[in-house]
């Protein structure tokens, strides 16, 4: 394992990006409200979840932005000495023999855990006890008959003690739900924003708003529905959102307490822009040693290669004015996936990079997510894939001083994943709102020829002193 180096010298690498079509458009749109319902009522809805495989398109290339480089190319620094990885407490969340892939997302509150999968919304207590499980079709049921819902994501808003869920409805709409209280087993308000060709959801809390995004693959566009949090939490019968359109496909919104940003990238560049501003995009060069995955499969023993996606920015988080992003790439001349992460300053353009690579050249890492605790420590969770083993999961830890641990396995797969070649988008890594230092990560592994998800609670870097100078 060659962990990402840290600390890095900051490279000032601003780019000016000219766009072939206008970058943004904004409209106020009104949602269709679904009936108010509690989790108990939704669970009692007599729906049968059909056996189905949700096939999503390969993500389009990063070709709608034209980049003029005006700064130096950043380089990777040698890795620092490794530290021990913190231990994890792990327990089962969900599996399904009817719906694949999982597309698993998760969030953590002070008394509950919520996992959002293509198969179901699962609510547990913080020791893994099952409290409520409703299928995705039940959760969004609106007396319109059985419909196809997929790509769910969930976040917990610690500031307001609310839960937010987003899904896609059959490439026709973006679905948004908000809990009425901090109890996710209670009542929810659910809304539908019509959006043709919607696919691949996004969901973050950014500034004072909920940002729910999606991609129009045919047009290489991204759409974002922005709702002030106080408005959504007032349980309105009619909910309006500002819809912002960007001509960069699959641009990821940044989870941030301050300004709203979106970020996208390819094997050469990371680019970002304010979500609610038509200002010119800025960007930074990557070290230019990695390729976009471009459909290269993830290996597994005894089964076909698994869909590894196209290495889009999987997770983007702001911390102390810096934005941290993580995604997977291919070292040039190879066909295996590794993880690249980047830290950049959206105002100055200072940036640094690192890679997470297994010492075995046959082992791939994919679908990463990251979280940063209040002390500046980082956990990155991801899938682990090899032609001699089954799809597994793991994480890597970086302490606040910039030292990295070896990769630590969460759970080993026990069989080939044969339901579909799509392993499934998303994973979730979050900070515990109770103490601001403990991490939780929701990851997938192969189980009985299907998929299984697990929560892992990782206690790390609980020192109260903020050590951010060496980031």
């Amino acid at each position: 394992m060659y962990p990402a180096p840290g600390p890095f010298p900051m490279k000032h690498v601003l780019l000016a990006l000219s766009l072939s079509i206008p970058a943004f458009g904004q409209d106020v749109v009104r949602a269709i409200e679904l009936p108010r319902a509690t989790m108990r009522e939704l669970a009692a809805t007599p729906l049968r979840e059909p056996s189905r495989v949700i096939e999503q398109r390969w993500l389009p290339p990063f070709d709608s932005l034209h980049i003029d480089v005006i700064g130096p190319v950043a380089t990777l620094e040698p890795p620092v000495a490794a530290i021990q990885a913190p231990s994890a407490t792990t327990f089962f969340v969900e599996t399904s023999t009817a719906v694949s892939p999982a597309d698993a997302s998760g969030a953590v509150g002070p008394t509950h855990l919520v996992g959002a999968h293509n198969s179901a919304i699962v609510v547990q207590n913080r020791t893994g006890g099952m409290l409520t499980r409703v299928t995705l079709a039940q959760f969004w049921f609106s007396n319109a008959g059985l419909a196809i819902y997929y790509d769910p994501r969930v976040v917990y808003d610690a500031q307001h003690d609310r839960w937010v869920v987003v899904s896609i409805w059959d490439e026709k709409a973006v679905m948004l739900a908000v809990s009425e209280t901090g109890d996710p087993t209670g009542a929810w308000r659910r809304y539908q924003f019509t959006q043709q060709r919607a696919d691949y959801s996004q969901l973050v809390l950014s500034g004072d708003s909920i940002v729910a995004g999606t991609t129009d693959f045919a047009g290489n566009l991204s759409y974002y529905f922005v709702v002030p949090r106080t408005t959504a939490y007032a349980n309105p019968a009619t909910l309006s959102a500002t819809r912002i359109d960007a001509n960069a496909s699959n641009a990821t919104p940044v989870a941030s307490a301050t300004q709203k940003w979106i970020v996208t990238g390819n094997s050469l560049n990371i680019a970002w822009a304010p979500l609610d501003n038509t200002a010119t995009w800025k960007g930074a060069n990557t070290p230019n040693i990695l390729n976009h995955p471009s459909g290269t499969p993830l290996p597994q023993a005894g089964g076909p290669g698994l869909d590894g996606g196209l290495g889009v920015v999987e997770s983007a988080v702001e911390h102390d004015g810096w934005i941290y992003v993580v995604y997977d790439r291919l070292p040039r001349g190879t066909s295996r996936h590794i993880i690249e992460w980047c830290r950049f300053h959206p105002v100055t353009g200072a940036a640094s990079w690192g890679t997470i690579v297994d010492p075995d050249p046959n082992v791939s890492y994919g679908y990463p997510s990251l979280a940063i605790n209040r002390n500046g420590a980082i956990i990155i969770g991801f899938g682990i894939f090899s032609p001699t083993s089954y799809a597994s999961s793991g994480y890597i830890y970086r302490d606040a001083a910039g030292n990295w641990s070896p990769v630590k396995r969460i759970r080993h797969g026990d069989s080939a994943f044969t339901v579909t070649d799509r392993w499934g988008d998303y994973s979730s890594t979050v900070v515990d709102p109770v103490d601001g230092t403990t991490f939780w990560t929701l990851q997938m592994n192969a189980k009985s020829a299907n998929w299984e998800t697990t929560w892992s609670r990782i206690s790390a870097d609980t020192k109260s002193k903020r050590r951010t100078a060496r980031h």
Side-chain angles (χ1 to χ4, degrees):
M1 191 280 297
Y2 301 93
F8 295 95
M10 295 298 105
K11 306 293 184 180
H12 292 266
V13 282
L14 288 178
L15 307 180
L17 287 82
S18 61
L19 304 179
S20 57
I21 59 176
F24 294 91
Q26 297 191 31
D27 294 292
V28 175
V29 294
R30 181 169 294 178
I32 299 170
E33 187 193 24
L34 308 183
R36 175 185 180 274
T38 66
M39 275 287 197
R40 178 175 295 180
E41 292 168 337
L42 294 171
T45 303
L47 294 178
R48 180 181 65 84
E49 186 73 0
S51 297
R52 56 190 170 95
V53 172
I54 301 168
E55 293 293 351
Q56 295 168 289
R57 301 182 182 91
W58 287 108
L59 304 180
F62 179 74
D63 58 4
S64 60
L65 300 179
H66 302 287
I67 302 172
D68 297 318
V69 179
I70 61 174
V73 176
T75 58
L76 290 173
E77 299 297 321
V80 299
I83 58 174
Q84 289 296 314
S87 60
T89 302
T90 300
F91 46 81
F92 168 79
V93 182
E94 169 72 348
T95 188
S96 173
T97 59
V99 178
S100 184
D103 287 353
S105 168
V108 175
T111 56
H112 298 87
L113 312 174
V114 177
H117 308 69
N118 280 332
S119 57
I121 306 291
V122 180
V123 182
Q124 297 170 280
N125 62 32
R126 286 169 58 99
T127 58
M130 179 67 69
L131 300 178
T132 303
R133 180 188 183 277
V134 299
T135 68
L136 217 57
Q138 288 175 316
F139 185 78
W140 296 113
F141 183 64
S142 59
N143 296 321
L146 188 64
I148 300 299
Y149 299 95
Y150 49 90
D151 290 1
R153 292 188 192 256
V154 57
V155 296
Y156 173 71
D157 187 339
Q159 181 181 351
H160 297 90
D161 191 28
R162 295 294 187 95
W163 300 81
V164 183
V165 170
V166 69
S167 290
I168 303 299
W169 171 41
D170 202 20
E171 298 192 16
K172 296 181 178 69
V174 175
M175 312 298 295
L176 179 70
V178 178
S179 66
E180 288 192 353
T181 69
D183 181 1
T185 68
W188 288 75
R189 295 280 182 158
R190 299 166 301 149
Y191 307 93
Q192 173 185 313
F193 291 100
T194 299
Q195 181 59 60
Q196 296 300 316
R197 299 195 302 268
D199 204 352
Y200 192 88
S201 70
Q202 302 278 6
L203 177 64
V204 298
L205 303 177
S206 188
D208 60 356
S209 300
I210 298 167
V211 178
T214 188
T215 288
D216 173 354
F217 289 99
N220 280 3
L221 301 172
S222 295
Y223 303 106
Y224 308 91
F225 296 88
V226 182
V227 183
R229 286 191 262 176
T230 53
T231 299
Y233 301 153
N235 304 323
T238 300
L239 183 66
S240 296
T242 300
R243 195 191 79 176
I244 300 175
D245 308 344
N247 71 324
S249 62
N250 235 96
T252 299
V254 177
S256 171
T258 56
Q259 185 172 351
K260 292 182 281 291
W261 299 94
I262 54 174
V263 59
T264 188
N266 62 6
S267 60
L268 300 177
N269 312 99
I270 289 292
W272 60 89
L275 178 59
D276 52 1
N277 195 312
T278 57
T280 302
W281 286 72
K282 294 181 179 180
N285 284 103
T286 71
N288 198 23
I289 62 171
L290 305 174
N291 285 325
H292 225 234
S294 302
T296 303
L298 296 162
Q300 65 168 340
L306 303 174
D307 179 351
L310 277 187
V312 299
V313 172
E314 299 278 356
S315 183
V317 180
E318 182 271 335
H319 179 78
D320 282 351
W322 294 81
I323 294 176
Y324 294 73
V325 299
V326 67
Y327 41 84
D328 70 348
R329 290 290 182 263
L330 303 177
R332 293 194 186 280
T334 77
S335 60
R336 70 151 169 174
H337 295 237
I338 68 172
I339 290 173
E340 184 175 65
W341 71 280
C342 174
R343 170 182 182 261
F344 64 86
H345 195 284
V347 177
T348 68
S352 54
W353 276 264
T355 56
I356 301 168
V357 186
D358 197 276
D360 182 344
N362 295 309
V363 174
S364 288
Y365 297 149
Y367 296 112
S369 57
L370 91 165
I372 308 171
N373 73 11
R374 67 184 183 188
N375 299 325
I378 298 173
I379 288 284
I380 300 176
F382 48 89
I384 303 175
F385 308 88
S386 165
T388 59
S389 62
Y390 306 119
S392 304
S393 56
Y395 61 91
I396 191 170
Y397 171 65
R398 178 187 189 264
D399 69 16
N403 302 303
W404 288 85
S405 76
V407 170
K408 189 174 182 65
R409 296 265 180 159
I410 294 173
R411 188 166 293 193
H412 292 267
D414 69 0
S415 57
F417 182 67
T418 58
V419 179
T420 172
D421 65 355
R422 278 199 65 78
W423 180 237
D425 298 308
Y426 319 151
S427 70
S428 290
T429 304
V430 298
V431 175
D432 197 319
V434 172
D435 59 21
T437 58
T438 301
F439 296 94
W440 295 77
T441 189
L442 181 71
Q443 299 294 328
M444 294 172 57
N445 61 274
K447 180 68 173 180
S448 302
N450 213 301
W451 57 264
E452 174 186 74
T453 59
T454 57
W455 272 118
S456 296
R457 181 182 183 272
I458 307 165
S459 297
D461 206 354
T462 59
K463 296 179 181 180
S464 60
K465 182 179 179 181
R466 295 175 62 88
R467 297 176 292 165
T468 58
R470 294 186 62 197
H471 276 21

